[in-house]
Amino acid sequence: MSDDQRRSRHGKSGHGHKSGPGRSNRPDWRARRAAEIEDGVVLYGWHPVVEALSNPKRRIRRLLVTENAQRRLAEELGTLRVTPELARPDEIARKLDPDAVHQGLYVEADPLPSPTIETMNARSLILVLDQITDPHNVGAIVRTAAAFGVDSIVTTARHSPSATGVMAKSASGGLEHVPFTIVRNLAGALQTLRERGFLCIGLDSAGETELEAVPLRRPVALVLGAEGKGLRQLTRERCNVLARLDMPGSIKSLNVSNAAAVALYATSRALAALD
């Protein structure tokens, strides 16, 4: 990811905070934690931190731990590749959003390398996110993507949450396994994907065909839109096909992260049958 892209992503909130005693006047949460400690990322909680410490591609700048967390880390990972700093739980809490659950672990790190569309191989399965802004939803999508072996998540620098903080916690370590590809223009990126042979499938409740009926081939891009708004018109036009998830129950639409899980399950099974 370029410096401009990192500054763009860290310059916005992506997550409103709730007021609490003594915290109601904190600005945008402390200018998004001082631009996530100068254009890096902040990770907290057991799974995000353990996965980051286990990932040789993730350069750790600083690790704060409580005594209990340090004992758990030693049992889980043995000798750490970075020297931890002991801290009290309240010291870590003061560095985070008011509602953050840190479990005694806090990391400041470099962002991971970002692949480009041009470097994706001909067998890739990727997700494309069209202005999905809620960090909890995106984090859940990342976790599911890691479970299904997704090669990359394509999104824009604007109108998407930063790969840090709340989103990283919701991803529960998935960020270490699914890289983000950041593009300036999503419609242009979809056009490039199609030119490179990707089958771009837009998920839409009003899609003309069931997802399971789409003739699949590799490489595949599943395109997801924001809840409520769905896919933007230009995004829809850039997809090869618009597909729906047919469900037998009375509710016909799913939360976007649940839709991603169902779509990845169906697509992965179909691709495995072709291989």
Side-chain angles (χ1 to χ4, degrees):
M1 187 187 301
S2 71
D3 291 340
D4 287 344
Q5 289 169 328
R6 287 198 294 269
R7 280 191 288 271
S8 174
R9 288 174 69 78
H10 293 305
K12 60 183 178 60
S13 167
H15 177 61
H17 77 270
K18 299 178 182 178
S19 297
R23 299 192 178 200
S24 59
N25 295 323
R26 293 184 178 180
D28 188 29
W29 203 76
R30 290 180 176 168
R32 293 322 302 162
R33 203 173 295 109
E36 298 297 55
I37 317 299
E38 283 299 306
D39 292 333
V41 300
V42 166
L43 307 171
Y44 60 86
W46 179 257
H47 292 295
V49 170
V50 168
E51 292 295 327
L53 291 172
S54 303
N55 182 3
K57 295 180 180 179
R58 177 75 83 176
R59 192 180 80 82
I60 307 297
R61 300 177 184 177
R62 189 183 187 193
L63 168 63
L64 268 60
V65 299
T66 61
E67 289 188 15
N68 287 339
Q70 186 178 37
R71 284 194 292 271
R72 288 185 67 195
L73 279 180
E75 293 171 0
E76 180 81 13
L77 300 178
T79 303
L80 301 177
R81 60 188 176 95
V82 59
T83 302
E85 303 173 40
L86 279 177
R88 296 190 308 274
D90 62 304
E91 291 178 303
I92 296 176
R94 284 197 294 269
K95 293 180 174 293
L96 299 169
D97 294 30
D99 298 327
V101 180
H102 58 72
Q103 299 172 290
L105 294 166
Y106 168 94
V107 155
E108 295 170 9
D110 285 355
L112 288 169
S114 294
T116 65
I117 288 174
E118 290 72 22
T119 61
M120 293 178 186
N121 67 53
R123 294 187 56 77
S124 294
L125 170 60
I126 67 172
L127 293 179
V128 179
L129 307 186
D130 185 13
Q131 295 194 346
I132 301 176
T133 58
D134 183 83
H136 297 281
N137 274 336
V138 176
I141 289 170
V142 171
R143 184 176 183 178
T144 299
F148 283 100
V150 168
D151 296 287
S152 183
I153 294 176
V154 178
T155 188
T156 54
R158 298 180 62 203
H159 305 297
S160 60
S162 301
T164 182
V166 174
M167 196 263 271
K169 184 68 163 62
S170 298
S172 193
L175 280 177
E176 306 305 316
H177 304 284
V178 185
F180 273 71
T181 297
I182 308 302
V183 299
R184 290 185 180 275
N185 182 281
L186 201 68
L190 286 168
Q191 183 63 37
T192 301
L193 285 169
R194 289 184 60 170
E195 291 169 357
R196 297 198 67 242
F198 275 79
L199 174 63
C200 296
I201 305 172
L203 294 179
D204 191 303
S205 59
E208 63 264 27
T209 184
E210 293 181 54
L211 177 60
E212 292 181 344
V214 175
L216 286 181
R217 56 174 172 77
R218 291 183 183 271
V220 179
L222 294 176
V223 188
L224 298 159
E227 287 194 64
K229 295 186 297 183
L231 299 174
R232 290 176 293 167
Q233 184 60 36
L234 195 53
T235 303
R236 293 163 62 93
E237 293 172 2
R238 291 292 191 273
C239 293
N240 295 95
V241 61
L242 296 177
R244 65 184 186 274
L245 297 173
D246 275 349
M247 290 160 286
S250 56
I251 295 178
K252 300 301 181 183
S253 63
L254 294 173
N255 168 285
V256 66
S257 61
N258 292 331
V262 173
L264 281 172
Y265 176 77
T267 302
S268 297
R269 284 175 60 89
L271 289 174
L274 294 175
D275 292 343

